[in-house]
Amino acid sequence: MRIVSWNLNGLPSCLKSGAFGPLLEYQPDVICLQEIRTRAEPVVLEGYWHYWNHSVRDKYSGTAMLLREELLSVYCGLTDDFDDAEGRAITAELQGFYLINAYVPNSQQSFYRHAYRREWDAALQAYVHELLYDKPVIICGDFNVARESIDIYPENIRLYWANQGYASDERSDLETLLEEGLTDAYRALYPDKRSYTWWSNRLYKRKENRGWRLDYFFVSDELMESVQDVVHLQDIYGSDHCPILLEVAV
């Protein structure tokens, strides 16, 4: 099975530019989209079932999933007591596992948004903890945090640590999530490789590959032996993020 995850920074602009065409070369079975920034529900690619979790606020946030086969079930949001008004999570129940498509909030150097981010992180952990009682979990998406210094272009590290009051909490929350029994699949396969998934739009950062790794596949430990590869599709443009691809034999 091939699963693609991509923060679009706006679905309408990606459709207009034809950004999805190059993805067809990889023949993905599932495409998880974040930051769709629309309440419309267009046909993104023919031959896929489309599932949506829109933000209440138009032209903001939102997630979607495209699958070649109809789902056993789909769930929007996280725990029942957490209000997912920004449409940041959608879960597909597949035959052997749950697949969570997550667009984690950005603290934006704001105390209010930082508090919301911490609440969201806690709700995601509680939700994953509950799902793992039933079957394995794969989580993909934009987590808006780099795990380690290797995940940041060296000259950007000073910018990262300038906000360490935020970053330290977010990195800690991420590690706590992984302690539920999940593995960062890319880092497990490539422990020493620098590769990025997001670049600032300013000053030719992507052309010079001065980026950050903010997009992940987190896989239940018991499924890791089935993971064949994780690839950063850096040659596909259309967003400030590149798509990432997981190949898993399930």
Side-chain angles (χ1 to χ4, degrees):
M1 173 177 282
R2 292 184 173 184
I3 304 171
V4 166
S5 173
W6 196 7
N7 179 314
L8 298 180
N9 195 20
L11 174 60
S13 62
C14 287
L15 288 173
K16 186 176 180 179
S17 68
F20 289 98
L23 275 183
L24 294 177
E25 174 185 343
Y26 297 93
Q27 300 181 326
D29 300 287
V30 184
I31 303 173
C32 295
L33 305 176
Q34 305 96 40
E35 200 174 0
I36 58 173
R37 295 173 59 182
T38 180
R39 292 185 56 78
E41 298 185 357
V43 176
V44 178
L45 289 172
E46 297 285 351
Y48 287 84
W49 293 83
H50 291 48
Y51 300 87
W52 307 88
N53 187 14
H54 300 288
S55 171
V56 171
R57 172 182 164 190
D58 194 19
K59 299 181 181 179
Y60 180 73
S61 189
T63 49
M65 272 189 178
L66 281 58
L67 298 99
R68 288 201 179 275
E69 296 185 6
E70 191 173 10
L71 293 178
L72 297 175
S73 67
V74 61
Y75 180 77
C76 293
L78 298 173
T79 57
D80 291 339
D81 59 351
F82 186 85
D83 182 6
D84 187 35
E86 297 183 357
R88 291 182 175 273
I90 182 169
T91 302
E93 182 181 1
L94 302 172
Q95 193 66 41
F97 62 96
Y98 290 105
L99 175 62
I100 303 174
N101 176 18
Y103 176 36
V104 180
N106 189 332
S107 290
Q108 302 171 349
Q109 299 184 28
S110 157
F111 287 110
Y112 169 75
R113 291 302 293 179
H114 181 57
Y116 178 71
R117 165 66 182 261
R118 298 298 306 281
E119 292 171 4
W120 203 96
D121 286 348
L124 175 63
Q125 182 190 351
Y127 180 55
V128 170
H129 184 83
E130 180 180 321
L131 291 182
L132 285 169
Y133 279 107
D134 188 28
K135 62 176 74 173
V137 170
I138 296 176
I139 311 173
C140 67
D142 174 11
F143 274 72
N144 267 311
V145 68
R147 284 192 67 202
E148 303 172 276
S149 59
I150 193 176
D151 298 315
I152 310 170
Y153 182 76
E155 290 184 11
N156 292 338
I157 291 178
R158 62 183 179 83
L159 302 175
Y160 185 66
W161 289 114
N163 295 313
Q164 65 178 348
Y166 299 104
S168 59
D169 289 343
E170 293 161 5
R171 291 173 66 215
S172 176
D173 286 349
L174 185 54
E175 297 308 315
T176 300
L177 174 65
L178 294 178
E179 288 172 2
E180 291 289 342
L182 302 169
T183 296
D184 177 353
Y186 182 84
R187 188 54 66 213
L189 295 175
Y190 303 103
D192 302 315
K193 186 175 181 179
R194 284 188 179 273
S195 183
Y196 310 123
T197 65
W198 176 84
W199 302 262
S200 170
N201 286 322
R202 297 184 299 169
L203 302 175
Y204 306 102
K205 295 295 187 181
R206 184 161 185 175
K207 182 179 179 180
E208 298 172 357
N209 198 27
R210 301 184 177 208
W212 304 52
R213 186 172 75 106
L214 304 180
D215 304 83
Y216 304 90
F217 281 103
F218 299 133
V219 177
S220 282
D221 295 342
E222 61 199 278
L223 290 180
M224 272 304 298
E225 63 181 14
S226 301
V227 171
Q228 298 167 326
D229 204 0
V230 179
V231 183
H232 296 165
L233 305 178
Q234 297 175 342
D235 58 336
I236 297 182
Y237 286 73
S239 170
D240 51 355
H241 293 251
C242 74
I244 61 175
L245 169 68
L246 171 74
E247 293 190 60
V248 57
V250 294

